[in-house]
Amino acid sequence: MNEHNVKEKLIDTMICANAAGYSMDGEVLVTPIGLLPRIAASLAMKSSNPDMMMTDSQCWMLSDPNPVAPRDTEQQANENWMGLSRVFDNVWSGNRHITCSPVQIDRFGQANVSVIGDDYSKPNVQMLGVRGFPGNSICHASTYFILSHNRRVFVEGECDYVCSIGYNPKRLPRGYTFDDIDLRQIVTDLCVMDFDGENKAIRVRSLHEGVSLEQVRDNTSFDLAVSGDIEVTSAPLERQMELIRRLDSSNQRYGQL
């Protein structure tokens, strides 16, 4: 298999790993942010969890996911209005699962999408601001999707600016325990991790084909938990690939790595 094919297989493996994280959710609103998470959520909706709800990333509810295509094509369905008030009803009731891609994640699972740098008033890099991260993380399930697993993303200490709640006892809101937080998994280009280590430490659950545990550790700025034998991340099944090709017939996903 040449390098190009290896990268394509990696992309499809990451999509399927992300999709697997929705299989037990039942009827929840899924918000996938980014091309690959969107394909992953669509794949789950067409296979492992047909009860999922999803929008077109703006304001229309879908019973069948739209393929990746320009919005003005005939393939794009608009079925039912999903305005912000209805979105927030789902958020506050806990009936949502979001997949997003922070620029920093620390050992507690706290995430940063706001600024890079120690001085918030004079950041080295200014990004989006905290957006909806505080409310999202405190109300419903979150998954992280990281295209490049490295020490700039998985940082030592805490994130430069903590935008979302994690398993940090010093930052828990009054009356909250770890059981009130629902961080599910982290899908990267090296592995799949979860939060099932001791005291909710980030744990390596599976390694992608050809990746070693040492490689993952070398690209992470904090210690990672390991429990028993680490599996190899499941390769996409042919049925999954058939659905992915239908959802992304122009192969836009392969431009992501």
Side-chain angles (χ1 to χ4, degrees):
M1 186 180 294
N2 62 38
E3 183 179 356
H4 183 71
N5 290 336
V6 169
K7 288 184 177 180
E8 290 184 354
K9 183 177 180 181
L10 173 59
I11 286 289
D12 293 329
T13 297
M14 293 172 69
I15 288 172
C16 291
N18 188 188
Y22 300 119
S23 60
M24 303 300 291
D25 278 356
E27 189 175 347
V28 301
L29 174 67
V30 170
T31 303
I33 300 176
L35 175 64
L36 300 185
R38 174 180 165 179
I39 297 172
S42 300
L43 172 62
M45 196 175 184
K46 295 289 287 182
S47 56
S48 61
N49 186 3
D51 292 329
M52 275 173 50
M53 300 180 292
M54 195 166 68
T55 71
D56 64 344
S57 300
Q58 289 197 21
C59 58
W60 295 101
M61 284 293 294
L62 305 174
S63 61
D64 194 46
N66 279 329
V68 176
R71 185 168 293 277
D72 59 354
T73 66
E74 294 181 359
Q75 300 180 70
Q76 302 297 294
N78 298 332
E79 295 182 51
N80 192 10
W81 179 254
M82 185 68 173
L84 278 178
S85 62
R86 292 181 65 191
V87 171
F88 285 123
D89 284 343
N90 279 272
V91 170
W92 295 327
S93 64
N95 293 316
R96 186 166 83 151
H97 187 162
I98 189 171
T99 293
C100 54
S101 301
V103 296
Q104 288 182 334
I105 301 170
D106 61 31
R107 65 188 179 93
F108 303 109
Q110 298 171 149
N112 177 19
V113 291
S114 184
V115 298
I116 300 294
D118 296 332
D119 187 349
Y120 184 76
S121 64
K122 296 179 180 179
N124 297 334
V125 180
Q126 173 71 57
M127 292 170 295
L128 296 174
V130 299
R131 307 294 290 178
F133 267 46
N136 292 340
S137 61
I138 211 169
C139 289
H140 59 68
S142 297
T143 288
Y144 299 141
F145 194 102
I146 304 299
L147 274 169
S148 178
H149 190 136
N150 61 69
R151 287 175 175 256
R152 294 187 304 277
V153 175
F154 294 97
V155 297
E156 186 177 6
E158 284 193 296
C159 295
D160 289 351
Y161 194 79
V162 175
C163 299
S164 67
I165 195 170
Y167 298 109
N168 182 354
K170 293 182 179 180
R171 288 189 180 269
L172 287 178
R174 183 179 300 174
Y176 269 67
T177 69
F178 284 176
D179 292 336
D180 298 307
I181 305 168
D182 194 1
L183 297 180
R184 294 288 178 86
Q185 65 175 3
I186 306 173
V187 178
T188 82
D189 60 333
L190 297 182
C191 64
V192 178
M193 301 183 287
D194 58 27
F195 295 85
D196 289 345
E198 186 177 358
N199 294 320
K200 295 292 187 179
I202 297 176
R203 182 189 69 160
V204 180
R205 191 171 77 206
S206 70
L207 298 167
H208 301 333
E209 184 179 354
V211 176
S212 68
L213 179 59
E214 289 70 27
Q215 187 177 352
V216 175
R217 284 174 165 161
D218 286 346
N219 284 279
T220 307
S221 297
F222 50 82
D223 291 336
L224 295 166
V226 176
S227 302
D229 294 332
I230 302 176
E231 300 176 353
V232 176
T233 308
S234 298
L237 302 174
E238 183 52 41
R239 173 58 179 160
Q240 291 175 308
M241 288 306 307
E242 289 176 4
L243 290 169
I244 290 172
R245 292 185 194 107
R246 234 180 284 164
L247 292 162
D248 178 26
S249 59
S250 58
N251 293 330
Q252 292 186 41
R253 64 193 183 280
Y254 295 143
Q256 298 296 296
L257 273 182

